[in-house]
Every structure is written in C-alpha cells, then in structure tokens.
Amino acid sequence: MRGAGLAFFRSPMEEKLRFACDPARGAAAEGYGSRMLANDDSVLDWRDYFDHHTLPESRRDPTRWPDFVPGYRDTVVKYSNNMKDLAQKLLRIISESLNLPPSYIEEAVGEVYQNITISYYSPCPQPDLALGLQSHSDMGAITLLIQDDVGGLEVLKDGMWLPVSPLPDGILVILADQTEIITNGRYKSAVHRAIVNTDHARLSVATFYDPSKSQKIWTAPQLVCKEHPQKYQDVIYGDYVSSWYSKGPEGKRNIDALLIEQ
Ligand SMILES: O=C(O)CCC(=O)C(=O)O
Ligand SMILES: [Fe+2]
C-alpha cells in the first residue's frame, strides 16, 4: 500500500492532476489534493494527499483512483477489506474489555463508512513555520495508520506533544471521537498532528472507520452510573462532521462541544 502511494506521489504532476479531487464537492471530496497553501494566515498545512472512498462498496469506484501505477486499484481494494476486518476485531476487543457484548461498538457505529487517506509530506524549507497536518482528533470510531520510517507524528499527552516512533512494519491504532462517546470516555480519542522536516519526505496511510452521516451515536447505558455520569450528548454523526468543517479543529477537540455540564 505504501509502495503504491509513493509511486503515485512521485509521478509527474500532470498525471496526478488527472485524479484531482473536485473542490465543488466540498472538503470531503475524493481524489488528489494539496494543502500547501494556508486558507487563513495562521497555520500552514504542508501536505499532499489522496483520499479514497472505500466502503460501503456502493461508494467504492476504483476508476476514480490512479490508473498509471501498476496494481494500484487492486492494492487499495485488498487493503480496504483487510483494514475493515482488523478494525472490527479491535472494536470487539474494546467492547469486551468493558464487559459489553463483543459486537456492541460495531453495532453502535452501524454500517461502516471507510475512507483511506494517503498523506505525503514533502521536505519543507521552513518546518518551524508549518505543520504537516494541524492538531486534531479523528472524528469517526477508529483509525488505523501505517507510516514509513521518517517520523513526524505527535500525540498530545498531559499538555505535551510526544513524538511517536515510526514502526514501518506496525499498524498504529488511533481511537477516534465516536468511540469516546460510546464508551463514556473510558477510551479517549487521541489528539495528534504531523510535523515536517527539511530533509525527508514522509508518507502515511490513514484508514478511517466511520459511521454513516445519518447514524445516531449515543453512550452505552451500561457505562453510565453514579460514579460515571454521562459525559457527552447524543449526536447525529453528520451533524458532528459539519460542525468540524464549519469551525475547524483549531487544536480544540470537536467532541468538547458535546460535553454535558456536570
Ligand atoms: O500523517 C500522519 O501521521 C497523520 C495523518 C492523520 O492524522 C490523518 O490523516 O488524520
Ligand atoms: Fe488524524
């Protein structure tokens, strides 16, 4: 999967632009895009990406993906199916760890909407003025990330940014906001960002396991008690996503807007 991505990003711009995302389709459009320019004057995102809509199969149209890298489309389809299985296994383990029925979180999320985003961060002449990808938490249920050996991902822990050592053969699990809501905060979504450097390009592939826009997400009643009052309001996932796109992450967790005053 990383090889396919790298071959794409190293291809001539005119080839890549044949698969550019359509800005008219909004921020969630599929295809090749670039955030090398700031949309305001504060933070620069120094990142090229390719976003694939992979599940449910009705959204999956491999003709929208590169045709000039041999094996690209088959690789993405295979990877999509494998990552779905792995994400579901992990959600089962998480459910069981909380004494919920194994399929609890999977069912609470409903039909999976999976997107796969390859990010390519080229070397940046002034890394102190830019971020590869600004601070955010992922909005869906769970994200599986693979990366090369360059490093650049950081997670926020106790107010400090900690670098994540890149494990080129590992799959990094990033819990996302809906899992935090369903588990009443027992599992927390991770605030993370990507930084860039002057010398090395970096490639990562994030596979997002998200609910459908119409799915209602609520906290498992089994996890609400006197010691653990309900933390978050119920939310329709589509409304959650729109509020992120209208306000932007700005380093603050989108999920905090749902906090119930205790
Ligand atoms: O490039 C990375 O390591 C992070 C990517 C990421 O967080 C995302 O696409 O949501
Ligand atoms: Fe992320």
Side-chain angles (χ1 to χ4, degrees):
M1 184 66 223
R2 286 193 314 232
L6 201 57
F8 172 79
F9 285 104
R10 289 193 173 157
S11 296
M13 187 53 88
E14 66 265 24
E15 292 279 36
K16 291 191 280 197
L17 286 176
R18 287 176 41 229
F19 293 92
C21 56
D22 175 5
R25 299 191 58 205
E30 186 173 25
Y32 171 59
S34 181
R35 291 286 299 276
M36 294 286 182
L37 294 174
N39 49 12
D40 59 40
D41 55 10
S42 52
V43 190
L44 290 157
D45 268 354
W46 189 268
R47 180 171 82 116
D48 266 12
Y49 58 88
F50 197 106
D51 194 19
H52 312 72
H53 294 176
T54 43
L55 285 173
E57 280 187 37
S58 55
R59 291 170 79 227
R60 187 192 276 172
D61 178 4
T63 64
R64 299 210 189 110
W65 311 337
D67 56 0
F68 53 88
V69 175
Y72 189 102
R73 293 172 175 178
D74 287 347
T75 302
V76 174
V77 167
K78 251 192 239 149
Y79 188 75
S80 154
N81 294 334
N82 288 340
M83 289 301 108
K84 176 193 176 198
D85 291 347
L86 179 58
Q88 288 180 335
K89 263 188 206 147
L90 290 163
L91 292 179
R92 270 178 237 140
I93 292 169
I94 293 171
S95 296
E96 285 184 302
S97 77
L98 297 169
N99 292 322
L100 295 168
S103 60
Y104 188 91
I105 298 177
E106 204 178 309
E107 282 170 17
V109 171
E111 186 175 31
V112 50
Y113 275 62
Q114 184 198 59
N115 291 328
I116 298 179
T117 304
I118 311 179
S119 295
Y120 184 76
Y121 307 92
S122 41
C124 175
Q126 288 193 284
D128 47 326
L129 294 182
L131 277 173
L133 180 58
Q134 60 182 298
S135 164
H136 66 284
S137 59
D138 294 343
M139 285 183 280
I142 189 168
T143 305
L144 300 176
L145 186 89
I146 57 170
Q147 46 180 328
D148 58 20
D149 58 359
V150 175
L153 180 66
E154 297 186 332
V155 285
L156 190 63
K157 183 157 193 317
D158 305 326
M160 297 219 315
W161 286 107
L162 304 180
V164 176
S165 313
L167 286 175
D169 295 326
I171 297 174
L172 188 81
V173 179
I174 301 176
L175 285 186
D177 295 344
Q178 307 314 307
T179 298
E180 177 159 345
I181 295 172
I182 294 166
T183 66
N184 203 21
R186 303 288 215 291
Y187 282 85
K188 300 223 168 357
S189 72
V191 176
H192 54 284
R193 67 180 188 182
I195 58 167
V196 284
N197 68 78
T198 47
D199 300 325
H200 301 287
R202 170 168 179 264
L203 183 116
S204 74
V205 183
T207 306
F208 302 99
Y209 187 107
D210 297 348
S212 82
K213 294 273 165 68
S214 60
Q215 184 74 22
K216 187 168 177 188
I217 300 292
W218 67 87
T219 300
Q222 299 92 317
L223 300 177
V224 177
C225 60
K226 235 173 153 186
E227 299 88 86
H228 299 282
Q230 186 179 335
K231 279 185 82 173
Y232 299 109
Q233 295 161 44
D234 302 350
V235 69
I236 306 284
Y237 185 63
D239 296 343
Y240 191 80
V241 173
S242 327
S243 77
W244 193 92
Y245 280 121
S246 55
K247 287 193 290 218
E250 282 173 6
K252 190 169 154 29
R253 297 197 324 156
N254 195 33
I255 196 175
D256 291 345
L258 298 179
L259 276 171
I260 297 173
E261 298 239 353
Q262 305 291 342

